[in-house]
Amino acid sequence: NGKDKFTFADVEKNKAEYDINAAYGNTVLSLNHTHVFGNRLFSDFMVAWNNYGMNLSQSVDSRYFSYSSGIRDLIVKDSFDWALSGSNRLNFGAEYVFHHFMPESSIISLPDAPENRYNGQVVGAHEASAFASDFISSDKFTVEAGARLTWFLVQGKGRLSLQPRLSLCCLPKDDLSF
């Protein structure tokens, strides 16, 4: 759990009161279970909940403005590590995330005007992924190549994307890498 808050207030003689407040934070809860199938294969199963929120407000004299937004995620993931040899390891699995977007809520209050409130539509989205990568290493080189296939569905519209991954590392000396 982490939260940050910033406040600025300025009050001087013959001047307006001026306040700015910014608060934002994140709360995460996760449960993990690791299962060892043998000396070469194990899995890591995770269920997690994430809640992020932010609120900004400002007041000058009798004028007031407030804006807030946030996102909550429920995540279920199962990944497997399979040691094919001492220098070759496969990682593969699947993940599902339910996103709960709270895009905007605002209040504007001005003198001699009705208060203006807006609450944006809360949006739910589904994200499902399957992934695989192969990690190969030697004394001087490491290579990791893989891909992630993701299906994202929000407001009745779906999108499928393939995300390739590649990492190369060269270790010509013990204290130097590229």
Side-chain angles (χ1 to χ4, degrees), residues 29-114:
L29 174 67
S30 123
L31 299 170
N32 290 36
H33 174 72
T34 300
H35 182 78
V36 178
F37 293 98
N39 61 352
R40 294 178 49 201
L41 178 65
F42 72 91
S43 74
D44 188 24
F45 179 77
M46 178 192 71
V47 176
W49 178 77
N50 178 39
N51 183 33
Y52 171 80
M54 60 85 73
N55 188 327
L56 303 171
S57 66
Q58 177 181 358
S59 64
V60 177
D61 291 327
S62 56
R63 296 177 180 97
Y64 176 77
F65 169 77
S66 173
Y67 175 88
S68 61
S69 71
I71 181 172
R72 276 189 215 124
D73 291 330
L74 176 63
I75 305 157
V76 178
K77 180 179 179 181
D78 202 3
S79 64
F80 296 85
D81 267 339
W82 184 12
L84 299 174
S85 69
S87 62
N88 191 359
R89 192 177 80 241
L90 288 178
N91 176 265
F92 56 95
E95 179 179 36
Y96 170 78
V97 182
F98 177 71
H99 300 285
H100 187 248
F101 299 107
M102 297 150 296
E104 178 183 6
S105 177
S106 62
I107 300 170
I108 299 174
S109 178
L110 301 171
D112 302 324

